[in-house]
Amino acid sequence: MPTLPKVILKPRRAEPFFNRHPWVFGGAVERIEGAPEPGAEVDVFSGEGEFIARGLFNPHSQIRVRLYAWNSETRLDRDFWSTQLDRAIAMRRALFADAGPDAAYRLVYSESDGLSGLIVDRYGDWLLVQFTSLALAGHRETLVELLEQKLQPAGIWLRTEKGIRESESLDMADGLIAGKEPPRPLFIEEDGMRFGVDVVEGQKTGFYLDQRDNRAAVAQLVRGHRVLDLFCHTGAFGLTALKRGGAKDVLGVDVSEPGLTMARANADLNDVATKIRFENAKVFDALERLAAAGEKFDTVILDPPKMTRHRAGLNKALRGYFSLNRMALDVLGPGGLLVTCSCSGLVSRDDFESVLAKVSLQANRPLQILAARGQAPDHPVSVHCLETSYLKCYLCRVAT
């Protein structure tokens, strides 16, 4: 085996990587021996010269090396990527053994599946792929070929995430990379319901797959409720509350008219259009208007988009979560249910619970946490990379 370029860590910086954390940031690197190109295989060594792991190099990213193998004999070749994909696919097949042909779920979740920089979502016969690493994107052709061989999808569509192209110097655009284009909308099934999804231009890869189990949990608590679904996107929380939970009626609010157009179609698709209405508005503005009008709801659902991607924006994000939750209490009746979520990975559970405590104190309304939930199991959390635990969903009762 030819000698690979070496990345030598600074003294006392090696422990996280011996413990299999997959991200080596530039600040941990003492020096580089050799001249690796972007995407090249490199070996990472401690300052004392001990081999730690093998990964892919990107001089343009804050994550200088993404680690994949902790054995010096393992090469990051086609066989390696094939084995990693097989493991990820086998786990989802076990999770969704009874799912029908129109099921939708996350098939590969980056670091949690040992494939840092790759996300694959299945929507029926189509796959949606995201590369979040320039280094792994260099293996795109191999990975796409393997996905085609193993799954025989009708097509594979590439999605890019806001900010990733800049942070990784990744020159990649959305588009078809195998097979045929997905229909718009593409129809999926979840919990006995059908949803139209725009996987080409919808948020994330078109549907919030990570909230699947949380939608079902909320539905168990809302029978007869008047529900306010904020940041409703294509309506899945509110529609599940109606169809599966027996809610009385729902008001969905979102700033995206294309999302609301899909939500209205989904309401028709599930025969609940007479019990739900949608408003195109900024959520803060809608909450102010509803409070001024004296409106009260039995359940308020808050599922905002990610509020920060960088640690420098953490305090601003926490202020945003405080304001949203505080305003939500103004339209929530006594004994009501607050379903409040954060998909900002940089916001910890401690941070979020502290926000809820401050909201409760300022509003002088006791909050009881009925459940502190996370992402669905097709988005597993790596014990070696707890950053993969990003979604927080709290079901809270407002006592008075």
Side-chain angles (χ1 to χ4, degrees), residues 348-394:
S348 70
R349 288 194 175 271
D350 286 346
D351 289 335
F352 202 64
E353 288 170 7
S354 178
V355 165
L356 294 178
K358 292 173 183 175
V359 165
S360 177
L361 283 172
Q362 190 184 91
N364 194 27
R365 299 188 71 186
L367 277 177
Q368 300 168 312
I369 296 175
L370 307 182
R373 303 178 58 87
Q375 61 235 40
D378 51 328
H379 297 62
V381 176
S382 167
V383 296
H384 305 296
C385 183
L386 294 179
E387 292 88 343
T388 54
S389 176
Y390 66 94
L391 181 62
K392 296 153 287 288
C393 178
Y394 284 78

Side-chain angles (χ1 to χ4, degrees), residues 139-197:
H139 296 268
R140 185 177 101 171
E141 184 175 331
T142 296
L143 290 164
V144 170
E145 286 178 359
L146 288 169
L147 288 169
E148 284 192 288
Q149 290 174 11
K150 296 174 188 299
L151 299 164
Q152 295 87 47
I156 303 178
W157 186 270
L158 177 68
R159 289 292 300 263
T160 54
E161 185 177 341
K162 181 180 178 181
I164 293 296
R165 281 176 285 190
E166 293 76 14
S167 64
E168 286 283 316
S169 292
L170 181 58
D171 185 14
M172 191 172 283
D174 291 13
L176 186 69
I177 52 177
K180 59 183 181 181
E181 292 190 10
R184 300 178 65 185
L186 189 161
F187 291 98
I188 64 168
E189 290 187 357
E190 177 184 290
D191 196 20
M193 302 178 65
R194 286 183 63 77
F195 295 97
V197 180

Side-chain angles (χ1 to χ4, degrees), residues 58-317:
N58 184 2
H60 307 300
S61 172
Q62 290 184 354
I63 303 176
R64 202 57 45 88
V65 185
R66 291 178 185 259
L67 302 178
Y68 299 94
W70 279 261
N71 184 324
S72 62
E73 301 303 314
T74 301
R75 293 306 304 263
L76 306 184
D77 56 15
R78 185 185 183 89
D79 287 344
F80 176 82
W81 304 123
S82 180
T83 298
Q84 299 299 91
L85 286 173
D86 283 341
R87 290 171 177 166
I89 292 167
M91 191 267 272
R92 275 59 176 200
R93 282 178 171 161
L95 281 176
F96 296 95
D98 298 326
D102 294 330
Y105 49 83
R106 179 143 294 179
L107 198 66
V108 177
Y109 178 35
S110 200
E111 291 78 17
S112 291
D113 287 303
L115 287 161
S116 179
L118 177 67
I119 290 171
V120 183
D121 288 338
R122 176 200 167 186
Y123 288 89
D125 290 333
W126 275 264
L127 299 181
L128 275 290
V129 171
Q130 286 184 324
F131 287 96
T132 59
S133 156
L134 177 145
L136 195 61
H139 296 268
R140 185 177 101 171
E141 184 175 331
T142 296
L143 290 164
V144 170
E145 286 178 359
L146 288 169
L147 288 169
E148 284 192 288
Q149 290 174 11
K150 296 174 188 299
L151 299 164
Q152 295 87 47
I156 303 178
W157 186 270
L158 177 68
R159 289 292 300 263
T160 54
E161 185 177 341
K162 181 180 178 181
I164 293 296
R165 281 176 285 190
E166 293 76 14
S167 64
E168 286 283 316
S169 292
L170 181 58
D171 185 14
M172 191 172 283
D174 291 13
L176 186 69
I177 52 177
K180 59 183 181 181
E181 292 190 10
R184 300 178 65 185
L186 189 161
F187 291 98
I188 64 168
E189 290 187 357
E190 177 184 290
D191 196 20
M193 302 178 65
R194 286 183 63 77
F195 295 97
V197 180
D198 186 351
V199 298
V200 173
E201 292 187 356
Q203 295 181 37
K204 291 195 174 181
T205 58
F207 197 72
Y208 296 150
L209 301 172
D210 50 2
Q211 292 278 27
R212 179 191 309 103
D213 293 354
N214 297 329
R215 288 188 280 269
V218 170
Q220 294 178 9
L221 301 173
V222 298
R223 181 163 299 279
H225 283 205
R226 188 179 187 215
V227 176
L228 176 61
D229 184 8
L230 301 169
F231 304 99
C232 68
H233 190 221
T234 57
F237 257 120
L239 293 172
T240 304
L242 283 170
K243 185 81 170 182
R244 307 299 297 175
K248 179 182 178 182
D249 58 63
V250 175
L251 170 61
V253 179
D254 202 280
V255 74
S256 167
E257 185 55 41
L260 293 179
T261 298
M262 186 71 72
R264 294 183 186 101
N266 285 335
D268 286 330
L269 193 62
N270 290 283
D271 299 319
V272 293
T274 59
K275 296 181 179 181
I276 190 166
R277 62 187 179 90
F278 296 99
E279 181 179 328
N280 184 355
K282 294 180 179 179
V283 165
F284 282 102
D285 294 345
L287 280 169
E288 286 184 352
R289 179 184 57 76
L290 290 167
E295 296 272 13
K296 295 294 180 184
F297 296 85
D298 304 297
T299 293
V300 176
I301 301 169
L302 280 170
D303 187 19
K306 187 180 293 187
M307 287 201 177
T308 183
R309 297 176 183 276
H310 306 286
R311 193 158 295 279
L314 179 58
N315 288 335
K316 182 179 179 182

